[in-house]
Amino acid sequence: MDLLILTQTYFLIIEVKNIVGTITYDPEFQQLIRHHENKESVFKDPILQVHRQRQQLQYWLSKQSLIHPIPILTTVILSNPQSIIKKTPNLTTGTFPLIRPDKLTSKIKELSKLYTQALITIRDIKKLAKNLKNMHRENDENVLNKFQLTYEDLIKGVNCPKCSFIPMEQQRYTWFCPKCYLNDKMAFQYALLDYFSLINSSITNIQLRDFLQVSSRNTAKRLLKSANLIQLGTNKGTYYSPK
Ligand SMILES: [Zn+2]
């Protein structure tokens, strides 16, 4: 949750997305498609995201012994002034759920006209705010989401542990850095660790080939076996996780 506004008549959850490029919102398939520098990437639907946050907040509030349930509203702001926002043709403008930052004030004014019944005292709001702050955790969402990147944005290949050059060249039994001439048999292990912390907690043979830019299935298999991982699943469904 990026921002939460507490008023006496409603609460408003605001999610801020800073995405560069041309953004198309497609509620039918619950996705946000970004076109940027001739590349297309897909982001999760931010509307679904705020709805999930609303459910969580509702649940939390239900444990807070409030007298009246208070309406929880949501909005998503696209904060990058350079981004171009488009909608899929089946969406009418009136229901378009993403707004620019400068529309927030008028949105709040609008809501204050719609929601007029005070359901909570200022004192209770302060108490709630304090409790919320106490349980606030920096979200553990992964680094890619944090910087609005996708898998496609990453430079693939093994990076040199000494000079960070990417990609190292794979030689028969080692990895060679054409920049600093380092030979390191286990260099790919660092890339694997990156994969586990950035992308997923497990990896398949085909995913390893793409991420490390290895062409042969057997080489990928050999690398996975030598990386001291746990092997799970069988045949085509085989995947590997760190121990
Ligand atoms: Zn190097």
Side-chain angles (χ1 to χ4, degrees), residues 103-155:
K103 224 199 140 194
L104 184 62
T105 344
S106 62
K107 170 121 192 164
I108 288 174
K109 276 185 190 152
E110 224 173 85
L111 292 175
S112 302
K113 273 183 206 155
L114 278 171
Y115 296 88
T116 50
Q117 195 193 351
L119 297 163
I120 182 170
T121 62
I122 300 281
R123 215 183 122 200
D124 280 346
I125 288 186
K126 282 185 180 161
K127 219 158 60 183
L128 273 187
K130 205 175 141 198
N131 290 349
L132 277 165
K133 245 172 113 179
N134 283 341
M135 52 156 251
H136 173 78
R137 305 253 185 294
E138 273 311 314
N139 57 8
D140 53 359
E141 74 174 340
N142 74 46
V143 183
L144 290 189
N145 285 342
K146 195 167 169 187
F147 294 102
Q148 309 287 351
L149 294 168
T150 66
Y151 178 78
E152 283 68 36
D153 294 316
L154 299 175
I155 303 165

Side-chain angles (χ1 to χ4, degrees), residues 48-87:
L48 278 185
Q49 195 186 342
V50 283
H51 286 178
R52 214 168 307 130
Q53 290 168 354
R54 173 166 61 194
Q55 278 177 353
Q56 287 166 346
L57 182 62
Q58 246 157 4
Y59 176 75
W60 183 81
L61 285 171
S62 71
K63 311 255 164 214
Q64 299 300 310
S65 67
L66 290 180
I67 302 162
H68 302 286
I70 193 150
I72 302 171
L73 314 169
T74 59
T75 194
V76 176
I77 294 183
L78 290 175
S79 62
N80 196 305
Q82 260 99 50
S83 61
I84 300 162
I85 307 171
K86 286 185 175 171
K87 59 183 182 65

Side-chain angles (χ1 to χ4, degrees), residues 160 162-163 165 177 179-180:
C160 172
K162 196 173 160 199
C163 76
F165 177 84
C177 174
K179 199 177 162 200
C180 74

Side-chain angles (χ1 to χ4, degrees), residues 165-186:
F165 177 84
I166 202 167
M168 290 181 92
E169 286 163 15
Q170 194 202 354
Q171 298 186 337
R172 198 164 166 80
Y173 288 108
T174 184
W175 296 87
F176 171 71
C177 174
K179 199 177 162 200
C180 74
Y181 310 121
L182 178 81
N183 267 302
D184 187 337
K185 227 169 120 180
M186 298 315 270

